Amino acid sequence: MERFLWILMWLLKQVSAEAPVCRMLQKDVFDCSGLSLRQVPDQLPFGLHRLDLSQNLLQNLTELDLSSGLTLQTLDLKQNQLSFLQPGLFQLIRHLEVLDLSRNVLSTFASLNTPLGLLPSLRTLDLSHNGLHSDMSDVFLSNAPVLSNLSMHGNSITKISRSMFNGTNALRSIDLHNNVIIEIEDGAFEELPKISDLDLSVNSISCITDFNLMQLRMLNLSRNSLSSFQTIDSEQPFHLETLDLRENRLLYFPVLPRRNQLAFLDLSRNLLRSLNCTGPREELESLRESGYLIPEFESTIEFPSSERQQALPSLLYLDLSFNQLKAIPESFFTTMAALKSLNISNNCLRSFRIEHLSSLKTLDLSFNSLQSLSVSEGALAALESLHLQGNGLRMLSSEFFLRLPSINSLHLEGNQLGICPPGESSAECIFLACIPTLKYLYMSQNGLMSVPEGAFKGSPLLILDLSLNPGISIAPGALFGLEASLTHLSLRGNEIQALSVDFSLFSKLKLLDLSENRLASVALWSSGSVLESLNLQSNRLETLAASTVLALQPSLQTLFLGSNPLSCCRNIQLLMLIQEKRIRVPDNASATCWISSDGQRLEVSMGASASVNNKQEYCNEGNGSVLWISLVVALVLGVALVTTVLMKLGHSRKHRFTRGIKA
Ligand SMILES: *[C@@H]1O[C@H](CO)[C@@H](O)[C@H](O)[C@H]1NC(C)=O
Ligand SMILES: *[C@@H]1O[C@H](CO)[C@@H](O)[C@H](O)[C@H]1NC(C)=O
Ligand SMILES: *[C@@H]1O[C@H](CO)[C@@H](O)[C@H](O)[C@H]1NC(C)=O
Ligand SMILES: *[C@@H]1O[C@H](CO)[C@@H](O)[C@H](O)[C@H]1NC(C)=O
Ligand SMILES: *[C@@H]1O[C@H](CO)[C@@H](O)[C@H](O)[C@H]1NC(C)=O
Ligand SMILES: *[C@@H]1O[C@H](CO)[C@@H](O)[C@H](O)[C@H]1NC(C)=O
Ligand SMILES: *[C@@H]1O[C@H](CO)[C@@H](O)[C@H](O)[C@H]1NC(C)=O
């Protein structure tokens, strides 16, 4: 009897656990998502405004299904298996404003070619990922008079026809990204007086020859096959603010509206070789030879009869990175008085001269082949961040950076620049002292020979990276003047043998990287320190002096110690800190110390050796090594035992235990 009852209860529990339960979220929001429903629940709560049926198994939707949901304003049907919608269905839900039909199989319904009917109040419709082809959208869009926001991304649309948006004249935003559009019929968007956002990215459009959508604010054509973008020749004002042409095959600068308010223009990852709107025919010839020009597109490239002046007075952001620009004419920027961010990285520029860019805050000229760079007085008055890394730049006027009154961060990695001693100008070096706005300075990989005394005095650096300049000689007063500001310093990979700096004076220094040098000692702290992370990996350290450990101990959280010939017995204090887990040693796998036994050195993991009490005893002359050895043998055996047991428990019996007992 008891057993029977128990089974009954168990069954009840199973049944109730599996029965789908929709949840009332607010008084008018019903959430039935992810319940494997095959049908809409029979009785929907009265007066519902919002119904979430997403992630179920619905296939058909009829008037009957929604007869108790006539008050709905938002209906979410995404990710079902809908292949049939009863025509006229949504006409009944008179106040429906938002309908999400994404990720269904509505191409089946669309192929029946029966219009869905009037969508009287619908403002937002999502039809993305439904396998829809070009003409199929008509079925849904024939009669949606107030629809303003339409998503149809991730379908198989190849053509935007003239009639596609004929029933949806109120559209403001259309998202067609990730289709296979190759053709846009003339006038396809002409009947849309309110259109402002058009996303055509990730399609196969090969050219735009007569862009004329004056009301448009955002046009995304990134990741198409555009070889040309041309606006009609008109004196009308265009409202375009954002034009994304990234990742296309543009050979020339686009022909933009004469009167425009463009703020954002992305031309990165194209084939721009010149910033002229059209180039001479010979250049076209050479492109054809080099295979950049696909014959089918060639006929579509038009040559405007006269060079049109491109004024971009509102432009804030211009990205020209990853093109093939060899030169930029000085006059190019004359009309861009508002420009804040300019990216010309990864081109082939050999020289660059800046005359007027007085609003510019960020300039990226990295990864070109710059040999010369010049700025006229006041041309970059607002510049905060300058990226010059990866240019192999050897020469720069020594006062160059003194001409940048707002400069905050300088990326100079991968060049061949030297640092001048303050007051001694020379063609071979740059001044980095007395730049009162400079906070971030990156000079890794410059083949720096020396850092003179006071090199950065008067430049309140927070971060200074001087890494990977092997053989650099750092003068005793090199960091003079940075005591109150510096928080991060890297001297990694510099082959430094000795350093004479008192880091106790650096009252904000939190991170110090001294790894990959040849330091045999780091007596760098005379009293306390606020350092939180110290990297001493790959040096020649045998000991960390007790005074150093004492100075670091209060604040240090992370210490990299691997690949140093540390002696266990001479670093007892350090070992104890590690044992007590008061310092994290992230590279503990390679952090070892040695003990000597019969004239031989035995490597012990710093983590493992930390498990002994009262170490001094073991490090006395004579019996110390014996005890250490027994300790190590015991540890190794312990580890071997545990490993063996674990492997037996696991299912990897086939593997032979080969690496366990070696010591
Ligand atoms: C859905 O509707 C179609 C057409 O009315 C019908 O052929 C099909 O059997 C229905 N499927 C389901 C699961 O009700
Ligand atoms: C348009 O609808 C999409 C979802 O379908 C939404 O992410 C987007 O914010 C809406 N845009 C506007 C302008 O309402
Ligand atoms: C758009 O619809 C109107 C009537 O609603 C019709 O007269 C016109 O021919 C249609 N245009 C296109 C391009 O289909
Ligand atoms: C344009 O579309 C691409 C791809 O869909 C997207 O990554 C990018 O952010 C869009 N650009 C803008 C300006 O929104
Ligand atoms: C760009 O145009 C200028 C003048 O219009 C001309 O001197 C220059 O040669 C052109 N550059 C290229 C690469 O076509
Ligand atoms: C410039 O463009 C490159 C490539 O797109 C990018 O990696 C870099 O972050 C950009 N520079 C700035 C300062 O944003
Ligand atoms: C090494 O450090 C990790 C995490 O910091 C810790 O889990 C591990 O036990 C340590 N290994 C030794 C041998 O101390």
Side-chain angles (χ1 to χ4, degrees):
M1 188 61 199
E2 231 170 81
R3 170 166 290 198
F4 173 75
L5 267 176
W6 186 83
I7 290 174
L8 193 72
M9 276 170 69
W10 181 81
L11 274 174
L12 271 173
K13 213 169 152 195
Q14 292 302 303
V15 168
S16 62
E18 272 176 22
V21 193
C22 299
R23 293 179 308 149
M24 201 73 197
L25 290 187
Q26 287 150 30
K27 73 176 190 342
D28 55 358
V29 181
F30 208 41
D31 178 6
C32 302
S33 62
L35 298 173
S36 305
L37 299 178
R38 289 175 187 279
Q39 278 194 318
V40 180
D42 272 347
Q43 271 307 311
L44 294 171
F46 179 75
L48 212 54
H49 283 164
R50 213 182 153 110
L51 175 58
D52 186 350
L53 283 164
S54 63
Q55 302 180 59
N56 283 297
L57 302 169
L58 305 177
Q59 293 182 338
N60 281 0
L61 206 61
T62 62
E63 280 177 21
L64 203 60
D65 293 318
L66 289 176
S67 54
S68 57
L70 300 184
T71 49
L72 284 175
Q73 291 168 358
T74 299
L75 176 56
D76 189 346
L77 290 162
K78 99 169 137 278
Q79 239 176 308
N80 276 278
Q81 296 166 6
L82 288 172
S83 60
F84 181 79
L85 303 170
Q86 184 175 6
L89 168 70
F90 299 114
Q91 189 167 349
L92 299 172
I93 312 177
R94 303 224 358 236
H95 301 291
L96 190 64
E97 288 186 8
V98 179
L99 176 58
D100 191 341
L101 290 167
S102 61
R103 296 183 190 273
N104 281 287
V105 277
L106 289 170
S107 52
T108 317
F109 168 68
S111 57
L112 301 175
N113 220 349
T114 328
L116 187 57
L118 177 66
L119 302 167
S121 308
L122 201 64
R123 294 184 189 279
T124 297
L125 174 61
D126 194 338
L127 287 167
S128 53
H129 294 281
N130 266 292
L132 299 175
H133 296 285
S134 294
D135 295 327
M136 290 183 161
S137 55
D138 299 0
V139 165
F140 305 94
L141 303 180
S142 62
N143 205 350
V146 296
L147 186 66
S148 78
N149 185 359
L150 174 63
S151 272
M152 294 213 292
H153 61 85
N155 281 293
S156 307
I157 296 165
T158 52
K159 174 178 161 183
I160 302 179
S161 69
R162 229 183 125 75
S163 62
M164 186 163 175
F165 304 115
N166 201 11
T168 51
N169 297 68
L171 277 175
R172 288 174 188 277
S173 160
I174 304 177
D175 180 359
L176 282 163
H177 88 259
N178 197 12
N179 276 278
V180 276
I181 297 167
I182 48 177
E183 190 188 348
I184 301 174
E185 264 186 7
D186 234 8
F189 301 102
E190 240 155 49
E191 304 296 320
L192 303 177
K194 295 182 183 157
I195 185 77
S196 90
D197 283 27
L198 187 51
D199 187 347
L200 294 169
S201 61
V202 200
N203 276 289
S204 307
I205 301 166
S206 63
C207 97
I208 302 280
T209 49
D210 48 4
F211 175 69
N212 63 353
L213 298 175
M214 292 162 193
Q215 64 280 44
L216 208 60
R217 291 184 188 275
M218 201 283 294
L219 176 58
N220 195 340
L221 282 163
S222 69
R223 298 176 62 191
N224 275 272
S225 323
L226 284 179
S227 58
S228 150
F229 179 95
Q230 295 187 7
T231 308
I232 53 162
D233 198 0
S234 161
E235 284 300 335
Q236 296 283 317
F238 279 66
H239 291 102
L240 196 63
E241 286 166 7
T242 300
L243 177 57
D244 191 343
L245 295 170
R246 189 186 173 88
E247 282 183 72
N248 276 285
R249 307 176 61 87
L250 291 174
L251 300 167
Y252 301 109
F253 200 76
V255 178
L256 299 167
R258 216 188 273 276
R259 291 179 61 198
N260 68 71
Q261 48 194 64
L262 207 59
F264 174 102
L265 179 57
D266 192 342
L267 285 164
S268 65
R269 297 181 192 267
N270 274 280
L271 302 170
L272 297 177
R273 297 189 148 195
S274 133
L275 291 173
N276 292 355
C277 296
T278 59
R281 283 195 181 266
E282 307 87 76
E283 195 168 329
L284 204 64
E285 215 52 56
S286 83
L287 282 169
R288 186 185 298 123
E289 278 159 23
S290 58
Y292 279 123
L293 207 57
I294 299 173
E296 290 95 278
F297 299 160
E298 194 182 331
S299 59
T300 64
I301 298 176
E302 283 183 9
F303 297 92
S305 49
S306 63
E307 192 69 29
R308 202 190 291 176
Q309 185 58 38
Q310 301 261 353
L312 294 164
S314 316
L315 198 62
L316 299 175
Y317 177 99
L318 176 59
D319 192 344
L320 292 165
S321 63
F322 286 97
N323 277 284
Q324 298 165 11
L325 296 169
K326 289 210 175 89
I328 296 186
E330 273 173 38
S331 60
F332 180 70
F333 300 108
T334 32
T335 67
M336 302 184 191
L339 198 62
K340 286 211 157 38
S341 167
L342 174 59
N343 195 338
I344 322 181
S345 71
N346 294 278
N347 276 277
C348 324
L349 296 178
R350 301 187 136 256
S351 73
F352 195 68
R353 173 161 183 78
I354 304 156
E355 296 271 357
H356 336 250
L357 276 170
S358 50
S359 302
L360 203 64
K361 287 195 187 302
T362 304
L363 174 58
D364 192 340
L365 290 166
S366 59
F367 303 99
N368 279 279
S369 322
L370 284 179
Q371 287 171 354
S372 80
L373 177 63
S374 58
V375 179
S376 9
E377 198 72 50
L380 289 172
L383 194 70
E384 289 173 0
S385 176
L386 177 59
H387 300 251
L388 288 173
Q389 66 270 33
N391 271 292
L393 201 59
R394 288 172 180 278
M395 299 266 279
L396 207 53
S397 136
S398 55
E399 280 99 11
F400 186 88
F401 302 112
L402 305 179
R403 293 228 180 119
L404 307 175
S406 309
I407 194 71
N408 174 272
S409 110
L410 277 179
H411 298 259
L412 302 175
E413 304 96 315
N415 286 294
Q416 294 291 321
L417 297 168
I419 303 175
C420 297
E424 278 176 50
S425 105
S426 140
E428 313 277 284
C429 57
I430 50 175
F431 283 122
L432 291 167
C434 298
I435 310 179
T437 50
L438 191 61
K439 300 230 163 92
Y440 308 95
L441 177 59
Y442 304 89
M443 286 212 74
S444 164
Q445 287 180 292
N446 266 275
L448 285 175
M449 301 304 291
S450 64
V451 186
E453 187 176 333
F456 314 105
K457 193 177 172 228
S459 302
L461 296 179
L462 300 181
I463 296 184
L464 175 58
D465 181 358
L466 294 169
S467 62
L468 300 170
N469 289 293
I472 193 172
S473 109
I474 295 178
L479 303 177
F480 186 61
L482 300 181
E483 293 84 352
S485 62
L486 202 62
T487 65
H488 290 54
L489 173 64
S490 176
L491 294 171
R492 179 172 69 94
N494 280 333
E495 297 180 359
I496 300 173
Q497 297 187 6
L499 198 57
S500 62
V501 181
D502 182 358
F503 284 115
S504 291
L505 301 174
F506 288 73
S507 59
K508 300 232 168 76
L509 192 65
K510 297 243 182 300
L511 186 145
L512 176 60
D513 188 349
L514 295 171
S515 61
E516 294 167 42
N517 281 296
R518 297 180 181 166
L519 293 168
S521 79
V522 282
L524 299 171
W525 289 268
S526 63
S527 51
S529 118
V530 295
L531 207 62
E532 288 173 5
S533 173
L534 174 61
N535 194 336
L536 294 172
Q537 212 177 52
S538 303
N539 274 285
R540 296 179 175 170
L541 296 168
E542 274 200 34
T543 42
L544 224 53
S547 62
T548 301
V549 176
L550 198 67
L552 293 174
Q553 189 181 334
S555 59
L556 199 67
Q557 291 162 10
T558 307
L559 177 62
F560 294 81
L561 269 177
S563 309
N564 275 294
L566 287 165
S567 144
C568 300
C569 294
R570 285 157 65 191
N571 287 290
I572 300 292
Q573 227 182 328
L574 182 62
L575 288 173
M576 268 158 69
L577 281 181
I578 297 173
Q579 174 192 6
E580 289 162 15
K581 298 216 182 319
R582 288 169 58 192
I583 295 183
R584 224 165 51 87
V585 181
D587 63 346
N588 60 9
S590 63
T592 57
C593 59
W594 57 266
I595 49 174
S596 103
S597 117
D598 299 335
Q600 287 198 319
R601 281 188 174 194
L602 196 59
E603 297 276 329
V604 189
S605 154
M606 307 260 309
S609 58
S611 55
V612 197
N613 299 321
N614 200 3
K615 283 168 205 71
Q616 251 110 4
E617 182 181 322
Y618 303 101
C619 289
N620 290 337
E621 292 297 313
N623 66 349
S625 51
V626 177
L627 275 164
W628 267 106
I629 290 170
S630 33
L631 169 82
V632 170
V633 169
L635 267 169
V636 169
L637 284 177
V639 169
L641 188 68
V642 170
T643 317
T644 318
V645 169
L646 283 178
M647 288 184 73
K648 284 263 155 69
L649 285 176
H651 44 77
S652 55
R653 279 193 202 153
K654 273 175 280 168
H655 297 279
R656 286 189 46 86
F657 186 49
T658 51
R659 267 196 285 164
I661 309 167
K662 239 184 185 173

